[in-house]
Amino acid sequence: MSGDGVVAHNRRTYIAENVDQTRTHLNIEYCYTPIEQAYHELFDEAQAEYNAKQKRKDRRIENYYEKICNGDQEKPFYEVIFQVGNKDDMGAASENGALAKEILDKFYHSFLERNPQLHVYSAHLHMDEATPHLHIDFIPFTTGSKRGLSTRVSLKQALADQGITGEGRSLTERDLWVQKEKESLAEIMLEHGIEWEQKGEHKEHLSVLEFKREKRKEELAELEQSIERVQQKQVSIKAVEQIETKPLPLTSKVAVDKEDFQNLVTAAQKFVVQEKQESRLKRLLKDAKKTISDLKAKVDSLVAELDSVKGELAQYRSTRGQLRTTELEQDNDYLRRKIRTYEEVIFRNNLWTYFSKYKEKVTVKKDTR
């Protein structure tokens, strides 16, 4: 998630309906700093250095947090939520819920070690909802920047500093990073005897495809080097052309020195071997390039499928909301008809005297309708 977030909900200064307040004391607040203060701690020094270099006052940055919030280049912070299982198999009040809490606690501390470029300013583990889950709010930053502030907000560069680089929209740094974090959580789960069951997913992970693609790239580089080595060892045509022949008397045949003949034989053999080897390497190179292309297409297909599923889910939620609205309107119309029927019975039987204290309220409601 990115945007305003609900830190008040995370800290329980705001209590939602799905919160069981009798279990709130089991929650863990790992850390919390107001985001404005976190920005001051991270960027004030770099901001002062930047402003000192500006000759024009209008180029100085008065408040870096507000600048990021008002800009469209970077998000001011990001939030990730991690959960093990669901309310049916890892309910917060169950024994498995306590196990999930232990796993998420260990995962949080390992998260800090893996992500030194993600400044966590708010982190909370919730045990008072249906399933234990972990909220981590962080500000991604990079240092040593040549553009703008030397220390500045950048998710792309922060992840690159941690060794994670994407390949365009089909496979972004964020996609790869999220997948790696899920796999880190899965490793801790496995230590506690829990296997990651990916329901409805029969295709390979994006990270597995990425690994295969990197291996193919390495093989491709090795093949190109092999072809280069073979080409460097190719027979020198000039050396062959310098061999002298001697005509034999009384015949159309010619003779060459024994040493030159041997050189010709060796050259011919090398030529045949080199031709075969180069042909094989070129074929392997072609296959490797096709494999890389197929893997990239597969990754693109997975990302497209994910986007499609997200669209279907959004459409489902929208349709469900419309159906609920229609149902409420039907109930409302039914109740209105019932009220009109009761009012007509009271009027026909001249019974309003018995309902005099309600008559004013009913009239007001009629007017409202």
Side-chain angles (χ1 to χ4, degrees):
M1 301 181 180
S2 58
D4 296 334
V6 192
V7 175
H9 168 73
N10 295 349
R11 302 192 69 212
R12 292 300 186 251
T13 54
Y14 159 73
I15 305 295
E17 293 182 359
N18 63 325
V19 171
D20 179 0
Q21 297 186 53
T22 64
R23 299 180 55 78
T24 300
H25 68 282
L26 299 174
N27 294 349
I28 300 177
E29 180 175 276
Y30 292 106
C31 67
Y32 171 70
T33 304
I35 189 168
E36 293 89 345
Q37 181 181 334
Y39 262 73
H40 284 306
E41 294 172 358
L42 273 173
F43 305 112
D44 270 5
E45 183 177 346
Q47 179 181 319
E49 291 176 356
Y50 174 83
N51 288 340
K53 296 176 183 178
Q54 305 306 313
K55 295 181 180 180
R56 290 172 47 181
K57 290 185 178 180
D58 60 333
R59 291 185 177 178
R60 295 176 183 174
I61 299 173
E62 299 300 329
N63 187 311
Y64 187 56
Y65 174 66
E66 290 182 0
K67 175 180 173 61
I68 295 298
C69 289
N70 295 330
D72 55 6
Q73 296 296 319
E74 297 288 347
K75 302 293 183 183
F77 79 98
Y78 293 82
E79 176 172 290
V80 284
I81 304 173
F82 295 94
Q83 176 176 311
V84 179
N86 54 44
K87 63 182 179 62
D88 297 322
D89 52 33
M90 281 283 177
S94 67
E95 184 177 347
N96 282 346
L99 179 58
K101 181 179 182 180
E102 183 179 350
I103 292 170
L104 291 171
D105 178 75
K106 185 173 182 179
F107 172 77
Y108 169 72
H109 292 95
S110 69
F111 179 95
L112 298 178
E113 295 174 359
R114 282 189 306 277
N115 298 285
Q117 300 302 125
L118 308 181
H119 178 76
V120 177
Y121 70 92
S122 175
H124 298 80
L125 197 162
H126 289 163
M127 295 295 295
D128 56 359
E129 296 179 52
T131 311
H133 56 277
L134 175 65
H135 294 260
I136 301 178
D137 298 272
F138 64 86
I139 304 166
F141 69 96
T142 182
T143 57
S145 178
K146 303 297 182 184
R147 178 173 58 85
L149 273 63
S150 59
T151 300
R152 62 183 178 86
V153 174
S154 174
L155 178 64
K156 181 183 179 72
Q157 192 56 49
L159 295 179
D161 293 344
Q162 295 181 180
I164 301 174
T165 55
E167 293 188 10
R169 295 181 180 179
S170 63
L171 193 62
T172 66
E173 296 82 5
R174 189 172 174 179
D175 293 334
L176 288 173
W177 174 73
V178 168
Q179 184 64 24
K180 289 179 185 295
E181 287 301 314
K182 288 181 179 180
E183 290 170 357
S184 297
L185 177 57
E187 289 177 7
I188 297 174
M189 289 163 52
L190 202 57
E191 293 174 5
H192 292 77
I194 302 174
E195 186 177 351
W196 181 13
E197 179 188 5
Q198 300 187 59
K199 296 181 178 180
E201 182 57 79
H202 303 293
K203 297 181 180 179
E204 295 173 290
H205 303 177
L206 285 176
S207 58
V208 175
L209 292 173
E210 178 66 12
F211 172 76
K212 287 186 175 182
R213 186 166 63 181
E214 290 301 320
K215 292 296 291 181
R216 292 295 180 272
K217 285 183 177 179
E218 292 175 7
E219 293 173 3
L220 182 62
E222 291 177 2
L223 284 172
E224 290 175 339
Q225 291 175 2
S226 298
I227 290 175
E228 185 178 350
R229 286 195 296 269
V230 169
Q231 291 174 340
Q232 289 173 352
K233 293 179 181 179
Q234 284 183 343
V235 180
S236 173
I237 301 299
K238 289 184 179 180
V240 174
E241 289 176 345
Q242 290 175 358
I243 296 177
E244 296 181 358
T245 59
K246 300 174 183 178
L248 293 175
L250 306 176
T251 178
S252 60
K253 296 180 180 180
V254 294
V256 296
D257 292 338
K258 184 176 181 180
E259 184 179 350
D260 289 338
F261 174 75
Q262 189 59 48
N263 288 337
L264 277 172
V265 172
T266 302
Q269 290 174 340
K270 284 185 177 180
F271 178 77
V272 172
V273 171
Q274 288 168 358
E275 282 290 304
K276 289 182 178 180
Q277 188 174 6
E278 187 171 347
S279 175
R280 175 177 170 274
L281 288 173
K282 285 181 177 178
R283 187 172 64 253
L284 290 174
L285 180 62
K286 182 180 179 181
D287 292 343
K289 288 182 176 178
K290 184 179 183 304
T291 302
I292 291 174
S293 176
D294 291 345
L295 286 172
K296 188 176 185 306
K298 198 170 185 181
V299 170
D300 291 342
S301 174
L302 280 174
V303 173
E305 185 174 338
L306 179 60
D307 291 340
S308 174
V309 170
K310 287 180 179 178
E312 290 177 4
L313 180 59
Q315 185 178 3
Y316 164 74
R317 288 174 175 170
S318 174
T319 303
R320 185 178 61 179
Q322 292 173 5
L323 289 174
R324 178 60 178 156
T325 301
T326 303
E327 182 181 338
L328 289 172
E329 290 176 351
Q330 291 174 349
D331 291 344
N332 210 7
D333 289 340
Y334 172 75
L335 291 173
R336 286 175 179 172
R337 290 196 300 271
K338 294 288 287 185
I339 290 172
R340 284 196 294 270
T341 301
Y342 295 147
E343 290 174 352
E344 290 171 1
V345 170
I346 293 171
F347 178 77
R348 285 199 305 270
N349 293 278
N350 197 23
L351 298 174
W352 277 118
T353 55
Y354 296 98
F355 298 95
S356 58
K357 64 179 179 179
Y358 301 109
K359 187 173 182 181
E360 183 178 351
K361 295 181 181 178
V362 172
T363 304
V364 171
K365 290 181 180 178
K366 277 185 175 180
D367 293 340
T368 303
R369 291 199 302 272

